[in-house]
Amino acid sequence: MTVKFDLSLFQVSLLAASSIIANSLFSPVFGLLSDRHGLKYYLVAGPLFTSIFLSFLGVLPDFYLILLFLFIGNLGIAAYHPASAAIAGHYGGMRKGLSSSLINFGGNLGCAFGSLLIIIIFEKAGIEYTPLILIPGIITSLVLLKYAPKNNIIISPGKSFNIFSRVKKINRTRLYMLSIILFIIYTLYIIWITVINYMPLYFTDKNISLINIGNILLLFGGLGGAAGLLSGYLYDHYKKGYLIIQAGLIISIPLFFFTFKTEGMLSVVLFIIAGLFLISVQPVCIRMAQDLLPGNMSLASSLILGLSPGLAGITMIFLGKAADIIGIAALIRYELLGLSLSLMILFVFPVMEKSRK
């Protein structure tokens, strides 16, 4: 897409922001709707709308049409995410951290395989064949239509539909703790959005082929999702989510930094391992938020998967312009400062946890 329309980094950031804003900022709205009306509608319609609109991106003739289709397609993701996260929380039993991690793993693996599939279609058949991606989306929706839980399985009857009224009822200490988690996800997603959208361009400049870039992104997302299974398991057993997150950030920050200080295979390996530790903390953040809002699991999930990533997407509009000026490597180094701030703030979390008890 970038090559076809000769896009600047700022225009790439607009596409990224459109995706994230649609599938994130609208996620709390769908979280409230699924809490109120049930999950099945959103589990089925989400993948169907996403596959319909996103599969035609390769044949659209105009940048602004792509922007529109990207936005509408990602609304389907916004509908699906809180419902699927609530399903994980409901059926997880004593292993809710692990069940949330499984959902996270599936999403990251699907995203990684999707990137590789698009590259293969683009290289082997041509960008005009991207509508073929519609087929697995339709199959997935049909499977969910048959096997997804009934709509009344997780409903919060009689609860206020107003998000602000729900937030007002949260204990102040819990609200502060939730704010810390939201800030962590915000800084995490800024890095995540940047590397997913800009690193293919960075690696292309390093003479790495598109197929190999697809394999790199597959490992980046797939191994990160797999590591999330371990972090979810650890959270279920030890309940020290802030320690798991701190460990992930302490390892990933320097690895991302040295990705741009090295060359060749070493740079690629550092990038993949950095992604492994960064992505692994997301399901822990989801579970910690759900534990802080046990009566509104869809809402809690949508705040983590919606509000913070959405704000990160808006921020990326401005960071895309900065990337045009200072370059991808310099931008990510500055973004790592925000992630480092999240790491520092986490040290107050156990103090708040004790006062909550």
Side-chain angles (χ1 to χ4, degrees), residues 156-300:
S156 306
K159 291 193 176 179
S160 170
F161 183 72
N162 192 316
I163 185 171
F164 297 106
S165 66
R166 292 195 185 187
V167 171
K168 282 180 183 178
K169 295 177 182 177
I170 304 172
N171 172 277
R172 183 173 293 182
T173 303
R174 286 175 179 260
L175 191 59
Y176 290 150
M177 295 168 72
L178 182 62
S179 298
I180 290 173
I181 298 170
L182 292 175
F183 182 73
I184 292 165
I185 288 292
Y186 169 73
T187 56
L188 184 152
Y189 259 85
I190 286 177
I191 296 285
W192 199 344
I193 297 167
T194 301
V195 298
I196 289 297
N197 287 280
Y198 293 163
M199 288 305 288
L201 302 175
Y202 177 82
F203 285 133
T204 299
D205 287 340
K206 300 295 180 180
N207 297 317
I208 297 177
S209 70
L210 280 177
I211 290 292
N212 285 333
I213 291 172
N215 290 326
I216 292 169
L217 293 177
L218 174 61
L219 290 171
F220 180 89
L223 293 179
L229 296 176
L230 176 60
S231 69
Y233 172 84
L234 292 173
Y235 181 77
D236 284 334
H237 280 71
Y238 302 107
K239 300 298 180 184
K240 299 293 184 182
Y242 62 90
L243 290 177
I244 298 170
I245 296 170
Q246 282 178 322
L249 297 185
I250 287 170
I251 297 171
S252 63
I253 290 170
L255 289 177
F256 273 122
F257 180 82
F258 285 107
T259 293
F260 301 98
K261 295 292 184 180
T262 53
E263 297 288 338
M265 184 57 67
L266 179 58
S267 175
V268 170
V269 170
L270 290 176
F271 172 71
I272 291 170
I273 299 175
L276 183 153
F277 284 98
L278 184 75
I279 296 171
S280 70
V281 308
Q282 187 192 33
V284 177
C285 290
I286 295 171
R287 277 306 309 149
M288 290 174 72
Q290 289 178 339
D291 285 346
L292 290 170
L293 298 176
N296 296 288
M297 286 196 292
S298 284
L299 175 59

Side-chain angles (χ1 to χ4, degrees), residues 52-88:
I52 289 172
F53 282 92
L54 297 191
S55 64
F56 284 95
L57 291 179
V59 298
L60 296 175
D62 178 86
F63 171 76
Y64 295 101
L65 265 179
I66 291 172
L67 205 59
L68 177 63
F69 270 58
L70 202 58
F71 185 85
I72 297 174
N74 276 278
L75 287 177
I77 298 175
Y80 179 81
H81 270 165
S84 62
I87 287 284

Side-chain angles (χ1 to χ4, degrees), residues 70-132:
L70 202 58
F71 185 85
I72 297 174
N74 276 278
L75 287 177
I77 298 175
Y80 179 81
H81 270 165
S84 62
I87 287 284
H90 181 77
Y91 286 106
M94 299 299 293
R95 296 185 175 182
K96 288 183 171 63
L98 181 59
S99 62
S100 295
S101 301
L102 283 168
I103 295 291
N104 186 69
F105 172 65
N108 282 300
L109 193 63
C111 183
F113 268 116
S115 299
L116 181 59
L117 178 61
I118 289 170
I119 288 173
I120 291 172
I121 290 174
F122 177 75
E123 284 219 324
K124 302 298 182 182
I127 197 169
E128 65 273 13
Y129 285 91
T130 56
L132 291 173

Side-chain angles (χ1 to χ4, degrees), residues 22-44:
N23 72 39
S24 299
L25 283 184
F26 285 85
S27 190
V29 176
F30 286 111
L32 288 166
L33 288 169
S34 61
D35 272 339
R36 188 177 180 88
H37 300 297
L39 306 175
K40 190 165 186 174
Y41 304 120
Y42 305 97
L43 288 171
V44 174

